[in-house]
Amino acid sequence: MFDKHSIDAPWGASVFGAASVDAAPDVARLRVAIAETRPKPGEAFEATRGGVNRIRDVLRGHGIPDTAVSTSRLDLKSSWDYGSERKFLGYECTASFVIELRELDLLEPVLVDVVEAGANQVDGVEFDVNAKKELRAQARTAAVAAAREKAQLYAEAAQVRLGPVVHIKDVDSEQLQNSYRSHRGGGAGGDGDGDLTPGRISVTAGVVIGFSLIGG
């Protein structure tokens, strides 16, 4: 399955090891946008700016600081109706931004309130963990242990002994994460209790290690 990660011209035992560390999510990133169409560009900008200000007021009301809201895109384009005949509708201004929530209990009320305040595009919700770097380090350590255990089994079956490690190759974490999702049947999904928060976030790591071999 991971042939592309194998070591070229192996000189001993080449083994793949993987591990996954699960953690409860503690961060949610809500991606929303507000788009307004007006006859003139300035009017479109003004209408969109007003919507953004309303959304920021809503977020402040939930105790979410301005620093937790980042603008990712501001776009202005002509809007047309391509019905029986091409008709110019005006200028569409779109402001997209990301809202980072550290209190996941706020997710549902915040989502409802920002939509009511004028956010007419919801691009999705991404769950994450703050300690991802530390969790990745744990997963990498466990992946090395898994690779060594596998190599030891092969060496014993072949009646040889493992020598020193002569090669270590990291496996792309994002590709490995997708592989874990597909084998689990889709993501780090929730526990089925009805809320929007996934039960666990999986942080994965993989490694290919080359061991020299010593005759038994």
Side-chain angles (χ1 to χ4, degrees), residues 61-101:
H62 282 286
I64 300 170
D66 290 350
T67 54
V69 185
S70 58
T71 302
S72 60
R73 181 170 61 90
L74 182 63
D75 184 45
L76 180 69
K77 64 181 180 180
S78 300
S79 179
W80 298 84
D81 179 11
Y82 296 95
S84 56
E85 59 181 37
R86 188 168 180 259
K87 180 181 179 182
F88 178 66
L89 299 178
Y91 294 92
E92 182 181 81
C93 180
T94 304
S96 304
F97 41 95
V98 179
I99 305 165
E100 185 170 281
L101 302 177

Side-chain angles (χ1 to χ4, degrees), residues 2 23 78 83 87 146 168 174:
F2 290 95
S78 300
K87 180 181 179 182
I168 299 177
E174 188 62 32

